Amino acid sequence: MALYDVRIGLEIHVELKTDTKLFCACPNSFGDEPNTRCCPVCLGLPGSMPSVNAKAVEYAVRAGLAMNCTIPHVSKWVRKNYFYPDLPKAWQTSQLDMPIAKDGYVEYFHNGDLKSAGITRIQLEEDAGKLIHEHGKTRIDYNRCGVPLIEIVTEPDFSSGDEAVAFLKEIRNMMRLIGVSDVKMQEGSLRCDVNLSVSEHGAPRGIRTETKNLNSFKAVARSCNYEADRQIELLAAGKAVVQETRRWDDVAGVGYGMRTKQDSADYRFFREPDLLPIMITDEEIESIKSALPPSRKERMEKYCVKFGLSRYDAEILASDYRISLLFEGAASTGVDPKRTANIIICDVLKMAKRTGEEDPVIGIDSKQLAEIVMLIDSGKVGLTTVQKDILPNIWDTDMSAGEYAENNGLMLISDACEIEKFVRRVIEDNRSVADDYASGNEKVIAFLIGRVMKITNGKCDAKLAGETIKKILNKQECKKK
Ligand code: ZN
Ligand code: MN
């Protein structure tokens, strides 16, 4: 069988979390009573006039800069005409040939390798309403009409569904980091279309299909693999791939053709006559750029250089900005950064991922984490207690780790005087065993530590107990001699 090249490009829609919609003052909110967040502008009533939300423009530029794009000084709106019940105006105000940002790239990790994908353009556009199909009927909620979106169009730089998903995760992380979207796939604020083509190895790019509206990472990965296999099978059998728009049925795990691809002429694109071009000065671009938070790369460098972490640890901590915030917040209190990193990587992330969700939520804040690190480092609680008891119980609460340990009797006895009291009692109670130490029996120490642990219900710092036992027995030795 011949070798094939799979080329995947993404069109990613990200809802911007501005207070108001793109062309009117209606609130941009999710989950409200249907059709209560609408006005003549976003309903497209005749005679209504749009005016551009400056915040949405700023967010789009911020996203463009974070993706290393060029920001043209002038960008223009177009009308994309199509007639569909979720679009009362019968056109979507969008961008095409003169977008807000273009020619960028995004670096991302896939299986430990640093990769880069080209960004063709980012266009600013409005969302459509939402069709709700229920009990054989369709109802329409226009609240989402006019919500600002950016559409990120990538180059066909991915060769597998896994790679596309790794990139999408980086985009999700980046959008959160720069604060322009809450990117919740389950609420539709991040949606993705996949363009996929297959060609014989080294041959020019083949005919591509577009699979629309994928709303989970798993669906993106599965539909890519399905579509690549389908096209390879067609080519291997000497048949042609038809250019078409396809749907993915995630329950059945199959894709199917929806309509042969609309030519862009079908949309009858033309300049939006009701809006002026967007003009952006160098000063405005510079000021947005200077306010960008440190990128993943910059954070990684900082973790290696300033905190002395390994590249591996730094990469994990920088992979999600929420984890970065957690780490930096805890480390800034002066606790040991290496220990902090270990607890995040080994315990906190494990805890967050236990439900198997695609977008795990971290249930503790940096203050709680710093306290945990301090408790361990000062010998007040053991690591196992943190893993099995403290972490699961303070998760998703604002309880302090120290107070929880105190109230539930989890604190270890680490006070030297206190430990010495217990040690002396154990030595008295086990005199004959203790005397064996003088004849060189080292096992005595382990036995005595066991006794100390027993009378303290396991709450003694075993290492300190051992040291104290040795110290006392050695002293007694000297006296005898
Ligand atoms: Zn409105
Ligand atoms: Mn779009």
Side-chain angles (χ1 to χ4, degrees), residues 16 58 146 148 160 176 202 224 232 249 343 407 474:
L16 302 176
E58 188 194 321
S160 72
R176 283 191 182 132
C224 283
I232 288 172
D249 182 337
I343 291 185
N407 294 342
N474 285 333

Side-chain angles (χ1 to χ4, degrees), residues 35-56:
N35 300 309
T36 57
R37 298 287 179 254
C38 311
C39 74
V41 174
C42 54
L43 288 175
L45 299 188
S48 64
M49 288 293 271
S51 58
V52 176
N53 181 342
K55 202 72 190 171

Side-chain angles (χ1 to χ4, degrees), residues 31 33 87 92 194 209 234 247 265 403 405 436 445 460 471:
E33 175 93 5
L87 193 68
Q92 179 194 34
V194 167
T209 61
L234 281 173
R247 280 246 183 257
E403 259 171 57
D436 263 4
I445 305 293
C460 189
K471 196 179 76 194

Side-chain angles (χ1 to χ4, degrees), residues 21-22 41 92 97 103 146 148 158 197 210 285 287 309 332 340-341 347 354 364 389 407 412 453 456 473:
K21 293 186 180 180
L22 185 51
V41 174
Q92 179 194 34
D97 52 335
D103 302 332
F158 312 102
S197 68
E210 184 179 12
I285 295 170
S287 102
L309 300 185
S332 71
T340 309
D347 305 308
R354 75 199 183 289
I364 60 164
D389 203 336
N407 294 342
L412 293 177
M453 295 313 275
T456 57
L473 290 183

Side-chain angles (χ1 to χ4, degrees), residues 202-245:
R205 202 178 170 196
I207 303 282
R208 65 184 193 182
T209 61
E210 184 179 12
T211 303
K212 286 278 202 193
N213 276 323
L214 297 159
N215 53 13
S216 76
F217 289 149
K218 214 175 82 206
V220 171
R222 291 174 77 208
S223 68
C224 283
N225 297 340
Y226 176 94
E227 184 58 13
D229 288 349
R230 189 187 72 89
Q231 291 191 18
I232 288 172
E233 247 171 63
L234 281 173
L235 293 187
K239 294 180 188 158
V241 173
V242 180
Q243 185 177 345
E244 62 183 351
T245 302

